Amino acid sequence: MASVTAESRPWLAPSASGPVSATVRLPGSKSMTARALVLAALATESSVIERPLRARDTELMASGLRALGIGLDTGDDDRWLVEPAPLRGPARVDVGLAGTIMRFLPPAAALAEGTVEFDGDPHARNRPLRPIVEALRSLGVSIDASATGGLPLTVRGAGLVEGGEAVIDASGSSQFVSGLLLSAPRFAKGLVLRHEGPPVPSAPHLRMTTHMLRAAGAVVDESVPDVWAVEPGELRGRTWVIEPDLSGAAPFFAAAMVTGGVVTLAGWPAESWQPVGRLSELLTALGGEVTQTVDGLTVRGTGSLHGITADLSEVSELTPVIAALAALADGPSELRGVAHIRGHETDRLAALATELGKAGAGVTEFPDGLRIVPGPLRPAEFETYADHRMAHAAAVIGLAVQGTSLTDVACTSKTLPEFPELWAGLVARS
């Protein structure tokens, strides 16, 4: 049941002739949209999702929930309506290449009556899934998985999950924890989930999960480090207002820094569930100026980029764009704490080392990161590895290195289908 991927679209990255100056409006956060869809599907009343992200990952998530019997009207781009219903099989879910789907929907499928099959793009079968499979099995769920513990996967839903206590090693992805927590209020005994292993990455995404669970009426206790306790109970239907996507904004902010320009992300809320503070720290250390006003979140380039030493474990999704900025900086950088991104859409550390090296940067690969020594960069063809974040990194390099090309820009449809047009429009204002 492997899905059909978008046709490749080679692309010459536009170079900037001067400072960019623009206000951009971006679609909603993929992370928030995915969580809102699952919580709305498991609620007792209907929900509305305002300003959701419409992209491949979220469209596939919506299709997966429809396959399980959920009523989902996505006809209006700015307002989706979710009507809960008893979850049922038999069903087939195409996860594409989305970690959110392959990790958020199997626990929900365990609540369904019937068999639910999961599969996706070829590389999706390489993405780690075993910890969540083993945790669900420990809770009594019947699952057939591949020899590696991942896709293709079959969940034999019995209409209920007893719940109780489970132990997991979530060092490979915070989504293992989030996926279990989102469905936990519907487990008969709730869930006490304990992480044992190296630190869980992407802590802000876990905080987003627990904040959104509470907003839907769940009782969640995370007062003990590496332990999450969710009480059984109903989830309420509500209106979810989705913030602009911070990770999706990163390349646009990088454009301001590379060109010495200014970019404002419009519609940024005064209070955010995304790690805006950490992004601001990183961009400031790299040489940017970050301010927030009623108009939005603004990044100004100062005309210089500095090398940094940084632990990116909380904001690993930013690694490709930060690495691109590091390759254009005035000194070496060391980016650590992101071993788990080897299991993302591609092995991002190996891919960045290869592609930035191809362009002329000196890159040393560590198990958990990269050392990047800037050098005279030259035009190169960046392989994008079907990975939207790799395409973003290449586009950032292309601003400063005329002749930079991408093997495929269509992979950006995963989270921002209009990226090539938005990017070209931004650079045209330089």
Side-chain angles (χ1 to χ4, degrees):
M1 190 186 58
S3 65
V4 178
T5 54
E7 187 175 339
S8 292
R9 179 180 163 192
W11 192 61
L12 180 65
S15 57
S17 57
V20 301
S21 178
T23 295
V24 295
R25 293 188 175 275
L26 295 181
S29 158
K30 178 191 75 169
S31 300
M32 285 187 68
T33 303
R35 286 161 174 77
L37 281 168
V38 175
L39 290 170
L42 297 176
T44 52
E45 314 100 8
S46 61
S47 293
V48 171
I49 303 178
E50 293 187 353
R51 298 198 287 276
L53 171 68
R54 184 187 289 279
R56 185 175 188 236
D57 279 17
T58 52
E59 293 271 23
L60 286 173
M61 176 72 86
S63 296
L65 290 169
R66 285 193 194 99
L68 290 167
I70 301 300
L72 229 162
D73 181 354
T74 59
D76 184 335
D77 281 348
D78 295 323
R79 184 181 170 87
W80 292 359
L81 180 63
V82 185
E83 296 285 357
L87 300 175
R88 53 168 174 72
R92 293 161 70 90
V93 176
D94 177 3
V95 309
L97 196 48
T100 48
I101 305 174
M102 69 178 73
R103 292 154 185 164
F104 290 5
L105 287 194
L111 295 162
E113 281 276 7
T115 298
V116 184
E117 299 176 23
F118 293 85
D119 204 358
D121 295 359
H123 187 73
R125 295 186 175 191
N126 299 330
R127 299 198 69 179
L129 203 52
R130 183 186 294 277
I132 204 165
V133 169
E134 292 181 346
L136 286 169
R137 283 175 174 158
S138 77
L139 294 169
V141 179
S142 175
I143 300 180
D144 299 333
S146 72
T148 61
L151 297 172
L153 193 74
T154 300
V155 178
R156 303 187 184 282
L160 60 87
V161 175
E162 191 70 13
E165 298 191 9
V167 175
I168 194 168
D169 178 353
S171 58
S173 175
S174 65
Q175 291 175 349
F176 298 146
V177 175
S178 290
L180 290 162
L181 296 187
L182 289 168
S183 291
R186 293 282 303 272
F187 296 172
K189 295 180 179 176
L191 178 67
V192 177
L193 185 64
R194 182 183 308 276
H195 162 70
E196 292 183 359
V200 182
S202 305
H205 282 97
L206 278 178
R207 289 195 289 272
M208 179 188 291
T209 298
T210 54
H211 288 330
M212 292 181 72
L213 274 162
R214 291 189 185 103
V219 178
V220 185
D221 182 350
E222 53 189 326
S223 58
V224 178
D226 290 335
V227 179
W228 300 265
V230 181
E231 294 184 11
E234 293 184 344
L235 293 168
R236 294 191 297 265
R238 53 162 290 160
T239 296
W240 298 99
V241 181
I242 307 300
E243 300 173 7
D245 189 78
L246 192 64
S247 296
F252 295 90
F253 291 148
M257 297 176 61
V258 170
T259 66
V262 56
V263 169
T264 297
L265 174 60
W268 189 256
E271 297 292 328
S272 171
W273 287 347
Q274 297 178 82
V276 63
R278 184 68 183 122
L279 174 66
S280 298
E281 290 170 4
L282 288 165
L283 296 186
T284 300
L286 282 156
E289 294 177 353
V290 184
T291 55
Q292 184 170 352
T293 67
V294 292
D295 295 325
L297 192 62
T298 299
V299 175
R300 294 177 184 275
T302 58
S304 59
L305 287 171
H306 308 307
I308 60 170
T309 298
D311 180 337
L312 301 183
S313 58
E314 289 207 341
V315 287
S316 59
E317 200 73 3
L318 302 177
T319 304
V321 165
I322 298 293
L325 288 171
L328 296 166
D330 58 10
S333 292
E334 199 162 296
L335 312 176
R336 303 299 287 259
V338 287
H340 62 288
I341 71 172
R342 292 187 182 279
H344 279 199
E345 283 79 349
T346 188
D347 179 338
R348 284 182 174 163
L349 293 179
L352 286 165
T354 298
E355 303 308 315
L356 293 176
K358 200 189 291 182
V363 186
T364 304
E365 205 177 323
F366 304 115
D368 74 331
L370 301 169
R371 176 175 169 80
I372 300 170
V373 179
L377 298 188
R378 53 183 176 265
E381 182 182 58
F382 273 72
E383 172 63 51
T384 53
Y385 304 87
D387 186 337
H388 55 148
R389 304 298 183 205
M390 288 298 297
H392 294 165
V396 171
I397 294 291
L399 292 169
V401 184
Q402 191 168 7
T404 299
S405 64
L406 285 66
T407 57
D408 175 35
V409 77
C411 62
T412 57
S413 66
K414 177 180 169 69
T415 47
L416 185 57
E418 55 269 54
F419 175 78
E421 292 70 33
L422 285 171
W423 192 257
L426 175 77
V427 180
R429 292 191 288 274
S430 67

